[in-house]
Amino acid sequence: MIDGLIEEAYARGAVRAVTPTPAGDDEYLLDRAGDAARREAAVAVRVRADGRFALATDNGGAVTIGQVAALCGLTGRPADRTQPFPSRQAR
């Protein structure tokens, strides 16, 4: 499910940044639904090197994948693949 959410976020232009963490995860900062001006804090989602969900946080508290989808207005089923899914960053 996390792959679908990240892919949809890329397709919608809702990924603010992707950075590697000291633990070797990739951290995606996702825009919230309805925040086109990017005034609100991003939802942080960490994905492990093996592609599995590691952690998501919102305002300092942990949230589930389902809560990430709701906060960001994502379904996990991208309708429009205008951009290829980016490959994982080189470590």
Side-chain angles (χ1 to χ4, degrees):
M1 179 171 184
I2 193 63
D3 288 343
L5 290 178
I6 298 297
E7 186 173 349
E8 181 182 3
Y10 268 107
R12 291 184 180 196
V15 177
R16 290 187 191 182
V18 182
T19 56
T21 68
D25 301 336
D26 286 336
E27 182 173 72
Y28 296 84
L29 299 180
L30 306 181
D31 289 335
R32 295 170 180 276
D35 186 29
R38 295 183 169 177
R39 290 188 177 131
E40 297 183 48
V43 177
V45 178
R46 288 187 182 187
V47 179
R48 298 186 334 200
D50 63 5
R52 295 182 62 182
F53 173 77
L55 174 70
T57 56
D58 173 43
N59 293 325
V63 294
T64 66
I65 295 176
Q67 289 170 317
V68 170
L71 288 167
C72 299
L74 302 171
T75 64
R77 297 181 305 268
D80 178 22
R81 279 199 72 176
T82 57
Q83 302 174 22
F85 189 72
S87 60
R88 297 192 54 79
Q89 296 178 349
R91 305 262 181 232

